[in-house]
Amino acid sequence: MNTTSHAPTVPAPSGAQHIISAGEHTATIAEVGAMVREYTVGGRDVFVPFDAAEPAPVFNAAVLVPWPNRLRDGRYTVDGTSYQLPVSEPDRGTALHGLGCWYRWTPVDSAPDSVTLELALPAQKGWPFQLVTRVRYTVDAGSGLEVVVRTTNVGAGTAPYGVGFHPWLSAGGADLDDCTVRLDATEHVTVDDRLLPTGVEPVTGDHDLRETRSLAGLDLDDAWVGATRDADGLAWCRLGCPDGSTPAVWMDGTMDCWQVCSADHIDGHERFGLAAEPMSCYADAFNTGDRLVRLAPGESHEVRWGATLL
């Protein structure tokens, strides 16, 4: 009798890796969460990377579906029925950043400069809906990284929906206090002590980032709306660095919300980068209804954003 055992192959915590490139632009997309594990231009990090042998430490460049940011108490109501999701941020009593970032996404198409991954998000406790999300990553030698996400409701009920993304712009080894920030947005979302929204106000003081300003002393974990756009219809968040480079994220007219975080209060990652998060809605949209998408059976929703080194 053969009693020889064969140990199973242990996958990397971030899963299979999909590398795409064009010119000096190279991105590595991880199977888990469809996260951009690395994005570089000429060897210089645009996004703060993480190791393939570790789970993403701070939602690094994850696709945040079916909601971005925080959901109060993990609870929401749809058409008179209330649902309870796991509270994944116990300190604030919220459900944070959706469900899709810890699933393994399936590759459905690839080329040297692009890859498309898909997640069929299953119905589960607290989430009775069925959505299929496809994300296409493309790099271009001139314009950089482009991301297109399309979600379709393949179930029977109308689903509440929002989408966001969590790239951390890299300071290239510099101290964040020696960098600058600029954000194309005219309104700031006010919050309570749980970082849940209480209203919207015109930008003033430390929240007015319409002109380039120093990050020294700025403690940010805030949302903005009222995006302003350039001649190409794009709104930008820019991180100016001492090496003369500017990692930047843009979003087109399919999204109107930003979250910007300087990581001052993330243990072990204090001010390690600047999160520049394009979103279709800000925190607690399932309860407030602000910018919430209601996806009827068979309907789809698509957004587009990207990044580069200026």
Side-chain angles (χ1 to χ4, degrees):
M1 180 178 178
N2 186 356
T3 59
T4 302
S5 62
H6 297 279
T9 301
V10 179
S14 62
Q17 308 294 305
H18 306 279
I19 300 174
I20 57 176
S21 63
E24 293 189 314
H25 297 256
T26 300
T28 301
I29 314 303
E31 173 189 18
V32 175
M35 298 178 183
V36 184
R37 192 175 64 76
E38 297 177 314
Y39 173 39
T40 63
V41 178
R44 203 279 197 196
D45 288 321
V46 179
F47 295 167
V48 176
F50 66 99
D51 196 276
E54 65 174 332
V58 279
F59 297 95
N60 299 59
V63 182
L64 310 178
V65 289
W67 73 89
N69 216 288
R70 294 170 173 85
L71 180 59
R72 183 186 301 271
D73 303 323
R75 298 174 186 159
Y76 65 101
T77 299
V78 178
D79 296 331
T81 301
S82 295
Y83 301 98
Q84 176 68 62
L85 287 155
V87 172
S88 55
E89 191 185 34
D91 291 350
R92 294 191 175 102
T94 71
L96 185 64
H97 291 332
L99 301 169
C101 54
W102 303 117
Y103 281 90
R104 295 182 183 274
W105 293 56
T106 302
V108 295
D109 189 36
S110 65
D113 62 352
S114 69
V115 65
T116 301
L117 295 93
E118 179 180 279
L119 174 67
L121 183 65
Q124 54 199 272
K125 185 175 178 60
W127 178 257
F129 311 102
Q130 297 184 78
L131 305 179
V132 173
T133 299
R134 281 197 174 191
V135 52
R136 184 181 76 243
Y137 293 101
T138 305
V139 286
D140 179 87
S143 58
L145 177 69
E146 179 187 87
V147 187
V148 177
V149 172
R150 184 177 181 85
T151 295
T152 302
N153 184 351
V154 298
T158 296
Y161 177 72
V163 60
F165 308 87
H166 211 301
W168 289 90
L169 294 175
S170 170
D175 191 307
L176 209 59
D177 281 353
D178 296 326
C179 299
T180 62
V181 62
R182 180 177 171 182
L183 180 70
D184 294 341
T186 61
E187 296 177 294
H188 171 250
V189 179
T190 59
V191 295
D192 61 17
D193 59 359
R194 297 167 66 187
L195 298 185
L196 293 166
T198 58
V200 174
E201 63 183 2
V203 292
T204 58
D206 286 348
H207 298 124
D208 187 353
L209 307 179
R210 292 174 294 176
E211 300 294 334
T212 300
R213 62 176 296 172
S214 172
L215 271 163
L218 278 186
D219 178 358
L220 303 174
D221 194 357
D222 298 85
W224 282 261
V225 293
T228 57
R229 304 184 187 277
D230 63 16
D232 296 318
L234 307 180
W236 291 81
C237 181
R238 298 170 172 88
L239 176 67
C241 300
D243 64 6
S245 64
T246 302
V249 170
W250 56 264
M251 63 181 179
D252 73 4
T254 57
M255 290 183 283
D256 186 45
C257 306
W258 290 104
Q259 184 84 15
V260 178
C261 179
S262 54
D264 286 67
H265 309 288
I266 302 178
D267 291 344
H269 299 280
E270 291 85 355
R271 296 183 74 80
F272 80 120
L274 185 73
E277 309 169 42
M279 306 180 295
S280 67
C281 58
Y282 53 85
D284 210 29
F286 278 19
N287 290 308
T288 67
D290 195 353
R291 291 169 168 78
L292 180 67
V293 174
R294 287 177 56 86
L295 272 183
E299 286 187 344
S300 297
H301 179 266
E302 184 172 290
V303 297
R304 175 176 169 264
W305 70 281
T308 194
L309 191 68
L310 300 174

